[in-house]
PDB file of all heavy atoms in Angstrom:
ATOM      1  N   TYR A  21       0.823  -1.205   0.000  1.00 97.00           N
ATOM      2  CA  TYR A  21       0.000   0.000   0.000  1.00 97.00           C
ATOM      3  C   TYR A  21       0.860   1.259   0.000  1.00 97.00           C
ATOM      4  O   TYR A  21       0.470   2.284  -0.580  1.00 97.00           O
ATOM      5  CB  TYR A  21      -0.964  -0.040   1.183  1.00 97.00           C
ATOM      6  CG  TYR A  21      -1.883  -1.236   1.098  1.00 97.00           C
ATOM      7  CD1 TYR A  21      -1.600  -2.406   1.808  1.00 97.00           C
ATOM      8  CD2 TYR A  21      -2.993  -1.229   0.251  1.00 97.00           C
ATOM      9  CE1 TYR A  21      -2.418  -3.519   1.687  1.00 97.00           C
ATOM     10  CE2 TYR A  21      -3.808  -2.339   0.129  1.00 97.00           C
ATOM     11  CZ  TYR A  21      -3.517  -3.486   0.849  1.00 97.00           C
ATOM     12  OH  TYR A  21      -4.317  -4.594   0.713  1.00 97.00           O
ATOM     13  N   LEU A  22       2.023   1.189   0.629  1.00 97.00           N
ATOM     14  CA  LEU A  22       2.968   2.305   0.537  1.00 97.00           C
ATOM     15  C   LEU A  22       3.469   2.447  -0.898  1.00 97.00           C
ATOM     16  O   LEU A  22       3.583   3.572  -1.418  1.00 97.00           O
ATOM     17  CB  LEU A  22       4.141   2.094   1.496  1.00 97.00           C
ATOM     18  CG  LEU A  22       5.283   3.114   1.404  1.00 97.00           C
ATOM     19  CD1 LEU A  22       4.778   4.545   1.583  1.00 97.00           C
ATOM     20  CD2 LEU A  22       6.378   2.806   2.430  1.00 97.00           C
ATOM     21  N   LYS A  23       3.758   1.344  -1.554  1.00 96.00           N
ATOM     22  CA  LYS A  23       4.178   1.392  -2.954  1.00 96.00           C
ATOM     23  C   LYS A  23       3.096   2.033  -3.815  1.00 96.00           C
ATOM     24  O   LYS A  23       3.370   2.834  -4.706  1.00 96.00           O
ATOM     25  CB  LYS A  23       4.504  -0.014  -3.460  1.00 96.00           C
ATOM     26  CG  LYS A  23       5.745  -0.632  -2.856  1.00 96.00           C
ATOM     27  CD  LYS A  23       5.967  -2.044  -3.411  1.00 96.00           C
ATOM     28  CE  LYS A  23       7.229  -2.672  -2.848  1.00 96.00           C
ATOM     29  NZ  LYS A  23       7.445  -4.053  -3.361  1.00 96.00           N
ATOM     30  N   ASN A  24       1.839   1.662  -3.543  1.00 96.00           N
ATOM     31  CA  ASN A  24       0.714   2.233  -4.275  1.00 96.00           C
ATOM     32  C   ASN A  24       0.604   3.725  -4.025  1.00 96.00           C
ATOM     33  O   ASN A  24       0.376   4.525  -4.951  1.00 96.00           O
ATOM     34  CB  ASN A  24      -0.578   1.519  -3.847  1.00 96.00           C
ATOM     35  CG  ASN A  24      -1.756   1.853  -4.733  1.00 96.00           C
ATOM     36  OD1 ASN A  24      -2.151   3.003  -4.835  1.00 96.00           O
ATOM     37  ND2 ASN A  24      -2.334   0.845  -5.357  1.00 96.00           N
ATOM     38  N   ALA A  25       0.790   4.137  -2.766  1.00 96.00           N
ATOM     39  CA  ALA A  25       0.727   5.556  -2.428  1.00 96.00           C
ATOM     40  C   ALA A  25       1.821   6.339  -3.142  1.00 96.00           C
ATOM     41  O   ALA A  25       1.592   7.465  -3.608  1.00 96.00           O
ATOM     42  CB  ALA A  25       0.855   5.731  -0.911  1.00 96.00           C
ATOM     43  N   LEU A  26       2.996   5.753  -3.251  1.00 93.00           N
ATOM     44  CA  LEU A  26       4.106   6.419  -3.941  1.00 93.00           C
ATOM     45  C   LEU A  26       3.797   6.575  -5.424  1.00 93.00           C
ATOM     46  O   LEU A  26       4.100   7.609  -6.030  1.00 93.00           O
ATOM     47  CB  LEU A  26       5.397   5.629  -3.744  1.00 93.00           C
ATOM     48  CG  LEU A  26       6.681   6.290  -4.249  1.00 93.00           C
ATOM     49  CD1 LEU A  26       6.940   7.609  -3.519  1.00 93.00           C
ATOM     50  CD2 LEU A  26       7.877   5.360  -4.068  1.00 93.00           C
ATOM     51  N   LEU A  27       3.193   5.566  -6.032  1.00 90.00           N
ATOM     52  CA  LEU A  27       2.793   5.660  -7.439  1.00 90.00           C
ATOM     53  C   LEU A  27       1.768   6.771  -7.642  1.00 90.00           C
ATOM     54  O   LEU A  27       1.810   7.497  -8.635  1.00 90.00           O
ATOM     55  CB  LEU A  27       2.227   4.320  -7.921  1.00 90.00           C
ATOM     56  CG  LEU A  27       3.238   3.192  -8.137  1.00 90.00           C
ATOM     57  CD1 LEU A  27       2.513   1.890  -8.473  1.00 90.00           C
ATOM     58  CD2 LEU A  27       4.217   3.550  -9.251  1.00 90.00           C
ATOM     59  N   LYS A  28       0.849   6.882  -6.690  1.00 93.00           N
ATOM     60  CA  LYS A  28      -0.156   7.944  -6.786  1.00 93.00           C
ATOM     61  C   LYS A  28       0.500   9.320  -6.685  1.00 93.00           C
ATOM     62  O   LYS A  28       0.124  10.251  -7.401  1.00 93.00           O
ATOM     63  CB  LYS A  28      -1.219   7.767  -5.699  1.00 93.00           C
ATOM     64  CG  LYS A  28      -2.126   6.551  -5.906  1.00 93.00           C
ATOM     65  CD  LYS A  28      -3.157   6.423  -4.814  1.00 93.00           C
ATOM     66  CE  LYS A  28      -3.988   5.159  -4.968  1.00 93.00           C
ATOM     67  NZ  LYS A  28      -4.772   5.138  -6.222  1.00 93.00           N
ATOM     68  N   LEU A  29       1.480   9.442  -5.798  1.00 92.00           N
ATOM     69  CA  LEU A  29       2.193  10.712  -5.662  1.00 92.00           C
ATOM     70  C   LEU A  29       2.946  11.038  -6.945  1.00 92.00           C
ATOM     71  O   LEU A  29       2.955  12.192  -7.397  1.00 92.00           O
ATOM     72  CB  LEU A  29       3.158  10.658  -4.479  1.00 92.00           C
ATOM     73  CG  LEU A  29       3.971  11.935  -4.227  1.00 92.00           C
ATOM     74  CD1 LEU A  29       3.057  13.131  -4.024  1.00 92.00           C
ATOM     75  CD2 LEU A  29       4.894  11.751  -3.028  1.00 92.00           C
ATOM     76  N   GLU A  30       3.552  10.044  -7.529  1.00 85.00           N
ATOM     77  CA  GLU A  30       4.261  10.255  -8.797  1.00 85.00           C
ATOM     78  C   GLU A  30       3.285  10.743  -9.866  1.00 85.00           C
ATOM     79  O   GLU A  30       3.591  11.635 -10.656  1.00 85.00           O
ATOM     80  CB  GLU A  30       4.939   8.965  -9.249  1.00 85.00           C
ATOM     81  CG  GLU A  30       5.822   9.132 -10.470  1.00 85.00           C
ATOM     82  CD  GLU A  30       6.665   7.900 -10.763  1.00 85.00           C
ATOM     83  OE1 GLU A  30       6.376   6.828 -10.179  1.00 85.00           O
ATOM     84  OE2 GLU A  30       7.597   7.999 -11.560  1.00 85.00           O
ATOM     85  N   GLY A  31       2.078  10.167  -9.871  1.00 87.00           N
ATOM     86  CA  GLY A  31       1.063  10.602 -10.825  1.00 87.00           C
ATOM     87  C   GLY A  31       0.654  12.054 -10.604  1.00 87.00           C
ATOM     88  O   GLY A  31       0.471  12.813 -11.568  1.00 87.00           O
ATOM     89  N   HIS A  32       0.504  12.469  -9.348  1.00 88.00           N
ATOM     90  CA  HIS A  32       0.152  13.861  -9.048  1.00 88.00           C
ATOM     91  C   HIS A  32       1.252  14.809  -9.516  1.00 88.00           C
ATOM     92  O   HIS A  32       0.970  15.891 -10.036  1.00 88.00           O
ATOM     93  CB  HIS A  32      -0.082  14.036  -7.549  1.00 88.00           C
ATOM     94  CG  HIS A  32      -1.373  13.476  -7.046  1.00 88.00           C
ATOM     95  ND1 HIS A  32      -2.603  13.917  -7.490  1.00 88.00           N
ATOM     96  CD2 HIS A  32      -1.633  12.483  -6.147  1.00 88.00           C
ATOM     97  CE1 HIS A  32      -3.565  13.250  -6.889  1.00 88.00           C
ATOM     98  NE2 HIS A  32      -3.004  12.371  -6.068  1.00 88.00           N
ATOM     99  N   LEU A  33       2.492  14.415  -9.328  1.00 84.00           N
ATOM    100  CA  LEU A  33       3.603  15.249  -9.780  1.00 84.00           C
ATOM    101  C   LEU A  33       3.574  15.404 -11.291  1.00 84.00           C
ATOM    102  O   LEU A  33       3.765  16.499 -11.826  1.00 84.00           O
ATOM    103  CB  LEU A  33       4.929  14.641  -9.325  1.00 84.00           C
ATOM    104  CG  LEU A  33       5.222  14.709  -7.822  1.00 84.00           C
ATOM    105  CD1 LEU A  33       6.424  13.832  -7.482  1.00 84.00           C
ATOM    106  CD2 LEU A  33       5.477  16.140  -7.381  1.00 84.00           C
ATOM    107  N   GLU A  34       3.320  14.306 -11.992  1.00 79.00           N
ATOM    108  CA  GLU A  34       3.277  14.349 -13.456  1.00 79.00           C
ATOM    109  C   GLU A  34       2.119  15.212 -13.942  1.00 79.00           C
ATOM    110  O   GLU A  34       2.262  16.012 -14.868  1.00 79.00           O
ATOM    111  CB  GLU A  34       3.162  12.937 -14.011  1.00 79.00           C
ATOM    112  CG  GLU A  34       4.427  12.108 -13.847  1.00 79.00           C
ATOM    113  CD  GLU A  34       4.265  10.686 -14.337  1.00 79.00           C
ATOM    114  OE1 GLU A  34       3.144  10.323 -14.751  1.00 79.00           O
ATOM    115  OE2 GLU A  34       5.254   9.935 -14.288  1.00 79.00           O
ATOM    116  N   MET A  35       0.936  15.065 -13.311  1.00 82.00           N
ATOM    117  CA  MET A  35      -0.242  15.835 -13.739  1.00 82.00           C
ATOM    118  C   MET A  35      -0.037  17.333 -13.548  1.00 82.00           C
ATOM    119  O   MET A  35      -0.595  18.141 -14.281  1.00 82.00           O
ATOM    120  CB  MET A  35      -1.479  15.372 -12.969  1.00 82.00           C
ATOM    121  CG  MET A  35      -2.040  14.048 -13.442  1.00 82.00           C
ATOM    122  SD  MET A  35      -3.666  13.666 -12.706  1.00 82.00           S
ATOM    123  CE  MET A  35      -3.250  13.570 -10.973  1.00 82.00           C
ATOM    124  N   ASN A  36       0.751  17.702 -12.566  1.00 78.00           N
ATOM    125  CA  ASN A  36       1.013  19.106 -12.297  1.00 78.00           C
ATOM    126  C   ASN A  36       2.267  19.616 -12.993  1.00 78.00           C
ATOM    127  O   ASN A  36       2.680  20.758 -12.776  1.00 78.00           O
ATOM    128  CB  ASN A  36       1.127  19.343 -10.784  1.00 78.00           C
ATOM    129  CG  ASN A  36      -0.214  19.310 -10.088  1.00 78.00           C
ATOM    130  OD1 ASN A  36      -0.944  20.301 -10.081  1.00 78.00           O
ATOM    131  ND2 ASN A  36      -0.575  18.175  -9.517  1.00 78.00           N
ATOM    132  N   GLY A  37       2.866  18.771 -13.817  1.00 72.00           N
ATOM    133  CA  GLY A  37       4.059  19.173 -14.551  1.00 72.00           C
ATOM    134  C   GLY A  37       5.232  19.481 -13.664  1.00 72.00           C
ATOM    135  O   GLY A  37       6.059  20.339 -13.984  1.00 72.00           O
ATOM    136  N   LEU A  38       5.314  18.769 -12.534  1.00 70.00           N
ATOM    137  CA  LEU A  38       6.364  19.054 -11.560  1.00 70.00           C
ATOM    138  C   LEU A  38       7.493  18.046 -11.669  1.00 70.00           C
ATOM    139  O   LEU A  38       7.261  16.861 -11.942  1.00 70.00           O
ATOM    140  CB  LEU A  38       5.786  19.023 -10.145  1.00 70.00           C
ATOM    141  CG  LEU A  38       4.674  20.040  -9.880  1.00 70.00           C
ATOM    142  CD1 LEU A  38       4.065  19.797  -8.514  1.00 70.00           C
ATOM    143  CD2 LEU A  38       5.214  21.451  -9.985  1.00 70.00           C
ATOM    144  N   PRO A  39       8.717  18.492 -11.448  1.00 61.00           N
ATOM    145  CA  PRO A  39       9.860  17.585 -11.522  1.00 61.00           C
ATOM    146  C   PRO A  39       9.871  16.605 -10.372  1.00 61.00           C
ATOM    147  O   PRO A  39       9.367  16.876  -9.293  1.00 61.00           O
ATOM    148  CB  PRO A  39      11.067  18.528 -11.430  1.00 61.00           C
ATOM    149  CG  PRO A  39      10.548  19.702 -10.680  1.00 61.00           C
ATOM    150  CD  PRO A  39       9.125  19.860 -11.098  1.00 61.00           C
ATOM    151  N   LYS A  40      10.452  15.469 -10.624  1.00 65.00           N
ATOM    152  CA  LYS A  40      10.599  14.451  -9.582  1.00 65.00           C
ATOM    153  C   LYS A  40      12.072  14.351  -9.220  1.00 65.00           C
ATOM    154  O   LYS A  40      12.572  15.120  -8.427  1.00 65.00           O
ATOM    155  CB  LYS A  40      10.030  13.128 -10.081  1.00 65.00           C
ATOM    156  CG  LYS A  40       8.509  13.168 -10.283  1.00 65.00           C
ATOM    157  CD  LYS A  40       7.995  11.949 -10.945  1.00 65.00           C
ATOM    158  CE  LYS A  40       8.288  11.926 -12.432  1.00 65.00           C
ATOM    159  NZ  LYS A  40       7.687  13.007 -13.181  1.00 65.00           N
ATOM    160  N   ILE A  41      12.761  13.440  -9.845  1.00 77.00           N
ATOM    161  CA  ILE A  41      14.182  13.272  -9.557  1.00 77.00           C
ATOM    162  C   ILE A  41      14.975  13.677 -10.789  1.00 77.00           C
ATOM    163  O   ILE A  41      14.792  13.127 -11.869  1.00 77.00           O
ATOM    164  CB  ILE A  41      14.490  11.817  -9.164  1.00 77.00           C
ATOM    165  CG1 ILE A  41      13.750  11.462  -7.869  1.00 77.00           C
ATOM    166  CG2 ILE A  41      15.990  11.629  -8.979  1.00 77.00           C
ATOM    167  CD1 ILE A  41      13.979  10.063  -7.404  1.00 77.00           C
ATOM    168  N   ARG A  42      15.837  14.660 -10.593  1.00 82.00           N
ATOM    169  CA  ARG A  42      16.669  15.161 -11.683  1.00 82.00           C
ATOM    170  C   ARG A  42      18.051  14.556 -11.514  1.00 82.00           C
ATOM    171  O   ARG A  42      18.657  14.684 -10.456  1.00 82.00           O
ATOM    172  CB  ARG A  42      16.713  16.684 -11.599  1.00 82.00           C
ATOM    173  CG  ARG A  42      17.377  17.372 -12.760  1.00 82.00           C
ATOM    174  CD  ARG A  42      17.179  18.872 -12.629  1.00 82.00           C
ATOM    175  NE  ARG A  42      17.743  19.608 -13.744  1.00 82.00           N
ATOM    176  CZ  ARG A  42      17.170  20.645 -14.320  1.00 82.00           C
ATOM    177  NH1 ARG A  42      16.010  21.070 -13.876  1.00 82.00           N
ATOM    178  NH2 ARG A  42      17.757  21.261 -15.333  1.00 82.00           N
ATOM    179  N   LYS A  43      18.542  13.894 -12.549  1.00 89.00           N
ATOM    180  CA  LYS A  43      19.814  13.196 -12.443  1.00 89.00           C
ATOM    181  C   LYS A  43      20.713  13.542 -13.619  1.00 89.00           C
ATOM    182  O   LYS A  43      20.256  14.004 -14.668  1.00 89.00           O
ATOM    183  CB  LYS A  43      19.586  11.670 -12.396  1.00 89.00           C
ATOM    184  CG  LYS A  43      18.857  11.208 -11.157  1.00 89.00           C
ATOM    185  CD  LYS A  43      18.629   9.703 -11.167  1.00 89.00           C
ATOM    186  CE  LYS A  43      19.906   8.927 -10.965  1.00 89.00           C
ATOM    187  NZ  LYS A  43      19.642   7.471 -10.819  1.00 89.00           N
ATOM    188  N   ARG A  44      21.990  13.282 -13.421  1.00 95.00           N
ATOM    189  CA  ARG A  44      22.982  13.462 -14.477  1.00 95.00           C
ATOM    190  C   ARG A  44      23.676  12.131 -14.688  1.00 95.00           C
ATOM    191  O   ARG A  44      24.196  11.531 -13.745  1.00 95.00           O
ATOM    192  CB  ARG A  44      23.984  14.527 -14.058  1.00 95.00           C
ATOM    193  CG  ARG A  44      24.871  15.006 -15.190  1.00 95.00           C
ATOM    194  CD  ARG A  44      25.857  16.051 -14.711  1.00 95.00           C
ATOM    195  NE  ARG A  44      25.183  17.155 -14.051  1.00 95.00           N
ATOM    196  CZ  ARG A  44      25.555  17.635 -12.882  1.00 95.00           C
ATOM    197  NH1 ARG A  44      26.586  17.119 -12.250  1.00 95.00           N
ATOM    198  NH2 ARG A  44      24.902  18.642 -12.346  1.00 95.00           N
ATOM    199  N   ALA A  45      23.662  11.653 -15.915  1.00 97.00           N
ATOM    200  CA  ALA A  45      24.283  10.375 -16.228  1.00 97.00           C
ATOM    201  C   ALA A  45      25.802  10.515 -16.281  1.00 97.00           C
ATOM    202  O   ALA A  45      26.339  11.607 -16.473  1.00 97.00           O
ATOM    203  CB  ALA A  45      23.760   9.848 -17.563  1.00 97.00           C
ATOM    204  N   THR A  46      26.477   9.418 -16.116  1.00 96.00           N
ATOM    205  CA  THR A  46      27.932   9.399 -16.301  1.00 96.00           C
ATOM    206  C   THR A  46      28.238   9.744 -17.755  1.00 96.00           C
ATOM    207  O   THR A  46      27.587   9.219 -18.666  1.00 96.00           O
ATOM    208  CB  THR A  46      28.489   8.006 -15.973  1.00 96.00           C
ATOM    209  OG1 THR A  46      28.156   7.665 -14.631  1.00 96.00           O
ATOM    210  CG2 THR A  46      29.997   7.966 -16.149  1.00 96.00           C
ATOM    211  N   PRO A  47      29.177  10.647 -18.007  1.00 97.00           N
ATOM    212  CA  PRO A  47      29.506  10.983 -19.399  1.00 97.00           C
ATOM    213  C   PRO A  47      29.795   9.732 -20.225  1.00 97.00           C
ATOM    214  O   PRO A  47      30.491   8.827 -19.778  1.00 97.00           O
ATOM    215  CB  PRO A  47      30.752  11.868 -19.254  1.00 97.00           C
ATOM    216  CG  PRO A  47      30.613  12.489 -17.904  1.00 97.00           C
ATOM    217  CD  PRO A  47      29.989  11.430 -17.041  1.00 97.00           C
ATOM    218  N   ALA A  48      29.205   9.699 -21.407  1.00 97.00           N
ATOM    219  CA  ALA A  48      29.328   8.521 -22.274  1.00 97.00           C
ATOM    220  C   ALA A  48      30.041   8.900 -23.566  1.00 97.00           C
ATOM    221  O   ALA A  48      29.756   9.950 -24.148  1.00 97.00           O
ATOM    222  CB  ALA A  48      27.949   7.956 -22.595  1.00 97.00           C
ATOM    223  N   THR A  49      30.957   8.052 -24.002  1.00 98.00           N
ATOM    224  CA  THR A  49      31.636   8.280 -25.280  1.00 98.00           C
ATOM    225  C   THR A  49      30.790   7.696 -26.397  1.00 98.00           C
ATOM    226  O   THR A  49      30.479   6.499 -26.406  1.00 98.00           O
ATOM    227  CB  THR A  49      33.028   7.631 -25.287  1.00 98.00           C
ATOM    228  OG1 THR A  49      33.818   8.215 -24.240  1.00 98.00           O
ATOM    229  CG2 THR A  49      33.716   7.858 -26.629  1.00 98.00           C
ATOM    230  N   ILE A  50      30.382   8.537 -27.319  1.00 98.00           N
ATOM    231  CA  ILE A  50      29.569   8.137 -28.461  1.00 98.00           C
ATOM    232  C   ILE A  50      30.501   7.989 -29.664  1.00 98.00           C
ATOM    233  O   ILE A  50      31.062   8.977 -30.146  1.00 98.00           O
ATOM    234  CB  ILE A  50      28.471   9.175 -28.760  1.00 98.00           C
ATOM    235  CG1 ILE A  50      27.667   9.503 -27.491  1.00 98.00           C
ATOM    236  CG2 ILE A  50      27.566   8.698 -29.883  1.00 98.00           C
ATOM    237  CD1 ILE A  50      26.959   8.315 -26.889  1.00 98.00           C
ATOM    238  N   ALA A  51      30.673   6.777 -30.103  1.00 98.00           N
ATOM    239  CA  ALA A  51      31.609   6.515 -31.204  1.00 98.00           C
ATOM    240  C   ALA A  51      31.143   7.190 -32.496  1.00 98.00           C
ATOM    241  O   ALA A  51      29.948   7.425 -32.693  1.00 98.00           O
ATOM    242  CB  ALA A  51      31.750   5.014 -31.413  1.00 98.00           C
TER     243      ALA A  51
END
C-alpha cells in the first residue's frame, strides 16, 4: 500500500508538470 501511495504521488507530480528526480548520467563516449 505504501508502494501504491508512492505511485499515486508520482502521478500527481506528473499531472502538475512538476519535476521528480533530476539526475545526471555518467559521461558517455559516443563513437
Side-chain angles (χ1 to χ4, degrees):
Y21 299 97
L22 174 56
K23 291 179 178 179
N24 191 299
L26 188 61
L27 287 174
K28 291 180 184 297
L29 180 57
E30 186 170 14
H32 285 299
L33 290 169
E34 289 177 357
M35 284 190 298
N36 285 278
L38 300 173
K40 293 172 284 298
I41 297 180
R42 188 172 182 140
K43 294 179 71 173
R44 193 181 305 131
T46 302
T49 299
I50 309 299

